[in-house]
Amino acid sequence: MDGFEPNTGVIVLAATNRPEVLDRALLRPGRFDRMVVVDAPDVDGREAILKIHVRNKTLAPEVDLRRIAQETPGFSGADLANLLNEAALLAARRKAQQIGQRDLEEAVEKVVAGPERKSRRLTHEDKVRVAYHEVGHALVAYYTPGSDPVHKISIVPRGRAALGYTLQIPEGDQYLINRSELLGRICGLLGGRAAEEVIFQEVSTGAENDLERATQMARRMICAYGMSDKIGLAHFASRTTSPWLGPNGDGEFSDRDFSEETAKLIDEEVRRILADSLNSAKQILNDHRMELDAVAQTLLKSETLDAKAFLALIKDKTST
Ligand code: ZN
């Protein structure tokens, strides 16, 4: 960085994803001394970015970009550009002249969950299991305060692994999550497994990803957020990735700098949180067994349910 005179008018711009590993000398006044943090865009930002990328695309008059912005928390500018490309491809495939709201919604799903796999045929038995599993997620989320609203339930296989999925979309950008919300999310993640236990008294391999995510969340509550009374406030999570990367700052747990005894306590606490959450999920499903059956049967027939259809089925059952 030497050799620039103050009067030469040269401005040097640089970008990095890892500001915390930069040599301090680089950041001294006269070198890179201004830092502009470019975070993932919030809902207004996403709407503005969508508007930029639709400039050379033809949209149907009913298209509501605000709605798409609300459905895409955590998306970067590149993700949004990709989303619009996917929507254009979908519109072209159905030989439409304009991109419609449905193309955009389908593109959101495609980006989040992967493309539809029409060739993957499930046996009827497996389909029933997947339907109950997904409705388990949706119902537990619905009856757990603080959960993100259910946007769609589907038993159409998508992507590499998912045989079905429940899409929950937060109502707004959330920057802080409290303890009961985290517990609620763990409960929702275990809703699929809970439904399998309640309905079939037999579990399947279908919950692997749910269990992985729930365990990770429970561990973070204990080790990183100081949310366990037994373990206390000590921070046992050493971040190996940057807190700047991703909205959740997904640090990994690698170097262990605590005692064998603490490790045991942490394991016990993780197990307790997961067991308690599974129990409350099963309780919810047992209490709402009629709705579980009704929604699962409808889902088997229609393969996908949007939020409106899901809520209508629940309201129908709770009022009678
Ligand atoms: Zn699941």
Side-chain angles (χ1 to χ4, degrees):
M1 293 301 294
D2 284 335
F4 291 116
E5 298 299 322
N7 56 357
T8 51
V10 177
I11 297 172
V12 182
L13 290 174
T16 178
N17 275 332
R18 304 292 304 269
E20 77 285 359
V21 297
L22 293 179
D23 188 333
R24 271 169 204 279
L26 268 180
L27 304 173
R28 279 184 201 135
R31 296 175 180 168
F32 290 110
D33 53 359
R34 299 285 157 89
M35 217 195 291
V36 182
V37 177
V38 184
D39 237 338
D42 61 9
V43 64
D44 292 329
R46 290 193 298 273
E47 191 181 1
I49 292 170
L50 285 169
K51 278 184 182 149
I52 292 172
H53 290 295
V54 296
R55 273 196 302 224
N56 50 3
K57 293 185 168 67
T58 321
L59 296 184
E62 91 270 2
V63 165
D64 182 358
L65 289 181
R66 180 79 191 173
R67 173 108 194 100
I68 299 300
Q70 283 164 345
E71 289 176 11
T72 47
F75 275 48
S76 67
D79 292 331
L80 292 168
N82 178 33
L83 170 85
L84 285 167
N85 256 335
E86 288 292 344
L89 288 174
L90 289 169
R93 206 170 292 163
R94 60 181 184 90
K95 298 193 167 52
Q97 301 297 315
Q98 305 165 316
I99 301 173
Q101 185 76 7
R102 257 193 46 209
D103 299 318
L104 287 163
E105 303 268 353
E106 169 72 23
V108 172
E109 267 180 76
K110 204 170 165 184
V111 172
V112 173
E116 258 183 44
R117 303 251 327 230
K118 291 214 173 80
S119 60
R120 185 176 282 178
R121 289 241 176 276
L122 293 182
T123 63
H124 183 70
E125 211 173 284
D126 284 348
K127 243 178 158 177
V128 174
R129 184 178 277 277
V130 174
Y132 271 101
H133 179 107
E134 294 310 327
V135 177
H137 283 304
L139 265 188
V140 171
Y142 178 79
Y143 284 108
T144 307
S147 288
D148 295 330
V150 174
H151 183 69
K152 192 166 189 180
I153 317 169
S154 165
I155 51 169
V156 179
R158 267 178 189 276
R160 256 181 302 166
L163 298 178
Y165 61 96
T166 303
L167 199 57
Q168 285 170 261
I169 292 181
E171 285 180 88
D173 295 309
Q174 198 174 9
Y175 300 104
L176 277 179
I177 310 172
N178 61 37
R179 188 169 185 273
S180 47
E181 284 169 333
L182 279 171
L183 285 175
R185 282 184 193 189
I186 292 176
C187 217
L189 280 171
L190 296 179
R193 161 62 69 108
E196 290 188 43
E197 286 190 20
V198 166
I199 302 292
F200 306 103
Q201 288 87 43
E202 165 81 292
V203 293
S204 75
T205 53
E208 182 185 351
N209 181 258
D210 300 334
L211 297 180
E212 188 184 335
R213 285 165 61 199
T215 309
Q216 218 171 33
M217 215 177 269
R219 192 164 273 274
R220 288 193 71 74
M221 286 179 69
I222 296 161
C223 298
Y225 307 138
M227 288 179 178
S228 155
D229 296 335
K230 263 201 199 141
I231 304 295
L233 297 177
H235 188 273
F236 292 117
S238 53
R239 285 179 195 277
T240 51
T241 53
S242 150
W244 297 82
L245 296 176
N248 305 319
D250 295 301
E252 311 248 320
F253 302 91
S254 60
D255 310 331
R256 225 184 68 179
D257 51 0
F258 43 86
S259 68
E260 206 50 56
E261 207 177 319
T262 306
K264 220 173 118 198
L265 262 183
I266 292 174
D267 289 343
E268 272 167 24
E269 277 291 272
V270 170
R271 255 198 296 271
R272 188 187 57 79
I273 290 181
L274 294 178
D276 287 354
S277 303
L278 181 68
N279 276 337
S280 26
K282 286 205 303 207
Q283 185 67 47
I284 290 173
L285 296 178
N286 277 321
D287 290 348
H288 299 277
R289 178 64 198 261
M290 291 231 311
E291 290 149 87
L292 177 60
D293 286 327
V295 180
Q297 290 308 323
T298 314
L299 182 62
L300 271 171
K301 267 177 243 143
S302 62
E303 298 206 324
T304 54
L305 283 176
D306 60 13
K308 225 171 109 190
F310 171 65
L311 292 179
L313 278 166
I314 291 184
K315 294 258 158 61
D316 189 35
K317 285 289 156 202
T318 33
S319 58
T320 51

